[in-house]
Amino acid sequence: TGGGMMIGFSWLANFIPNEALAATSAAGEWVELTGFIKISSDNKITLFCPNPEFGQNVMTSLPMLIAEELEVDWQKISIEQGDYDTPRYKRQFTGGSQSVRMNWQPLRNAGAAAKQMLFQAAATEWNVPITELTAANASVIHKSSGKSATYGSFAAAASKLPVPTKVTLKKPDEFSIIGKPQKNVEGKKIVM
């Protein structure tokens, strides 16, 4: 039991929470907004890939877009295939070399929006300006006070906040995950 948070956006950048998804979440475990990011109160983080994996590495590349903006440790998160749910994920097909191109902005926005919501929850709890907060390894940090807490600590409170429609994305020279080789998360399953 405990609080949690789930957030995502369609490739059309639909920021409207999906009430049907919220109604299906297990009471007390997760709060769902639309579907790409799940954070438990014990700081377990799962990212959902909307497109099917056929060996082209989208189960790795698409979640990397979210993880980059969310500031999580790539080695400590879980990746799951999103359900076939076109109202939720919109464009769910493989082919035409379009997956990264079409999801580049929306998935990064999903990660950045979730981080901003977590910052707002932390700023409110700690009574500090949101502009003084930073993130690293799935934690919110306030350097001047020495406070630090995991995303899971703020997930329930963050899920009650409105999803921001404008977020600041990282610049390419700030990337720590995108553009760096990562092991295919489905490689062993594909081979086996």
Side-chain angles (χ1 to χ4, degrees), residues 43-188:
N43 212 38
K44 290 182 182 171
I45 298 172
T46 301
L47 304 181
F48 291 91
C49 180
N51 293 40
E53 176 67 72
F54 285 108
Q56 79 287 25
N57 213 23
V58 296
M59 283 283 287
T60 304
S61 58
L62 296 183
M64 284 172 65
L65 302 175
I66 302 167
E68 182 68 65
E69 297 293 341
L70 191 57
E71 300 286 353
V72 294
D73 183 341
W74 181 255
Q75 305 306 317
K76 294 181 181 175
I77 59 172
S78 298
I79 310 292
E80 292 182 14
Q81 176 66 59
D83 294 333
Y84 178 68
D85 187 348
T86 53
R88 178 170 157 190
Y89 292 125
K90 305 299 182 226
R91 186 186 178 281
Q92 284 192 278
F93 67 88
T94 297
S97 299
Q98 297 290 314
S99 296
V100 172
R101 186 175 312 153
M102 296 302 294
N103 287 295
W104 175 257
Q105 192 79 20
L107 293 183
R108 290 180 61 212
N109 283 344
K115 182 174 72 176
Q116 187 170 325
M117 293 166 75
L118 292 159
F119 278 11
Q120 185 60 60
T124 300
E125 183 173 319
W126 293 340
N127 194 27
V128 298
I130 194 171
T131 56
E132 294 180 4
L133 298 176
T134 59
N137 298 318
S139 293
V140 180
I141 302 156
H142 185 246
K143 290 182 183 174
S144 62
S145 69
K147 292 182 179 181
S148 174
T150 65
Y151 284 172
S153 303
F154 302 112
S159 70
K160 296 174 185 165
L161 299 171
V163 179
T165 56
K166 293 187 179 187
V167 293
T168 302
L169 299 177
K170 293 168 80 173
K171 296 181 175 104
D173 63 353
E174 298 172 316
F175 290 165
S176 61
I177 297 173
I178 294 174
K180 309 291 187 289
Q182 304 296 339
K183 187 175 180 181
N184 184 324
V185 300
E186 292 291 286
K188 185 173 181 180

